[in-house]
Amino acid sequence: METHLEKSIREVMNQPQVTGAMCVDSKGLCLISKGTADPAASGYLSEISRCANHVASTNEDSPVTAIEFGKTCVGHFGICTMRLIDEQILIKRGDNVTTVIYKDKTK
């Protein structure tokens, strides 16, 4: 029988631009991962979310932390620099589980 986490991850993976998804427990251990989500990064991502909660948390809800990365393009003669954001990791800490979603913004 499919667990609630498996069903939720499957639904997330069917969303546009999503390339990976992962659920992490309160100790930073990966509970489930699919696609490009790297289970070895679960502890780091959980800790980033925990730190973000200390900085930007309200009484109502924890923040969504976004890590964006991509390419830097330099124009002719070094006059113009533009950063293209290709990929994004979204992290949301819940009561017992942290959810991590990997997105490819070029799709």
Side-chain angles (χ1 to χ4, degrees):
M1 183 174 177
E2 186 176 50
T3 68
H4 177 69
L5 283 180
E6 289 169 336
K7 181 180 177 187
S8 297
I9 290 290
R10 186 171 39 80
E11 289 173 4
V12 167
M13 288 297 296
N14 287 329
Q15 299 302 311
Q17 299 181 327
V18 173
T19 61
M22 175 169 40
C23 291
V24 181
D25 73 5
S26 60
K27 295 181 181 180
L29 301 174
C30 179
L31 300 172
I32 187 171
S33 71
K34 297 287 182 195
T36 59
D38 182 5
S42 63
Y44 299 113
L45 296 170
S46 177
E47 186 64 14
I48 289 169
S49 179
R50 187 187 69 74
C51 292
N53 278 351
H54 287 297
V55 173
S57 185
T58 65
N59 292 335
E60 299 172 14
D61 205 3
S62 65
V64 173
T65 306
I67 301 171
E68 296 182 327
F69 48 99
K71 303 174 193 132
T72 301
C73 301
V74 178
H76 292 359
F77 308 108
I79 296 171
C80 173
T81 302
M82 181 174 71
R83 180 121 171 102
L84 302 173
I85 303 300
D86 292 337
E87 298 182 58
Q88 188 177 50
I89 301 173
L90 302 171
I91 313 166
K92 173 76 170 155
R93 189 176 193 88
D95 291 334
N96 299 313
V97 175
T98 298
T99 304
V100 181
I101 299 172
Y102 289 68
K103 295 180 86 175
D104 182 345
K105 296 178 83 176
T106 63
K107 291 185 176 184

